[in-house]
Amino acid sequence: MTEKNLAEHAISVRSRRNLMEAMRGEAFAFAKYKLFARQARNNGDNELADMFDKTADQEYMEHFVEQADLLQLVGTDEQDVTNAIAGESFEVDTLYKRFAEEAHEDGDEQVAHRFEEIRRDEAFHQLAFHEALIKIQTRQRIMRGATGRSAKAHDF
Ligand SMILES: [Fe+2]
Ligand SMILES: [Fe+2]
């Protein structure tokens, strides 16, 4: 969701910030419980595994989704892809870059290596979303050309 959309939205800045923080917690709980479920299943405790899986689903499908609705996190495909590019770009250019440098400074080479490797994956995500955005925008131009007037060279 863009800053402009946020500004037009009736929810206070603090509530939006709290929603974002809560969603990060829910997303983390989801991922963590999925790992715990896998561990419990590997150990043969299916009852505990099911409990973790069921709880994980609620953290995501209910708590995260309900809060995402309030924030109007999901927009048009074009907005969603733009949002994704911003997130991936932040990871590539700022977050994982700094984290890798700091881990290296602290002598945590394994951690630094992992951050660098993940950063490269994020760069691929960033590129793939850029390509998706170009496809969406090109399709929109073609659609506009087909419904309105005939497409001209300068539309592309
Ligand atoms: Fe929750
Ligand atoms: Fe990513």
Side-chain angles (χ1 to χ4, degrees), residues 20-37:
M20 282 301 290
E21 192 180 329
M23 285 162 68
R24 285 197 180 90
E26 297 294 346
F28 189 81
F30 167 80
K32 186 172 68 175
Y33 292 164
K34 282 293 181 189
L35 283 182
F36 290 171

Side-chain angles (χ1 to χ4, degrees), residues 49-117:
D50 289 344
M51 188 187 168
F52 276 129
D53 273 332
K54 193 167 157 255
T55 309
D57 288 345
Q58 195 183 25
E59 310 295 15
Y60 169 43
M61 292 309 294
E62 292 181 32
H63 300 171
F64 186 93
V65 167
E66 286 159 359
Q67 293 176 101
D69 276 351
L70 283 169
L71 265 184
Q72 297 182 355
L73 179 76
V74 180
T76 62
D77 287 346
E78 188 178 13
Q79 287 169 335
D80 293 347
V81 170
T82 304
N83 179 321
I85 291 169
E88 300 291 345
S89 300
F90 174 71
E91 290 180 342
V92 172
D93 301 330
T94 306
L95 186 132
Y96 280 121
K97 190 168 187 287
R98 178 164 59 85
F99 285 1
E101 285 164 2
E102 288 178 354
H104 185 64
E105 266 173 36
D106 293 349
D108 296 322
E109 292 312 326
Q110 249 192 331
V111 179
H113 179 77
R114 178 60 56 211
F115 284 149
E116 266 307 332
E117 205 172 82

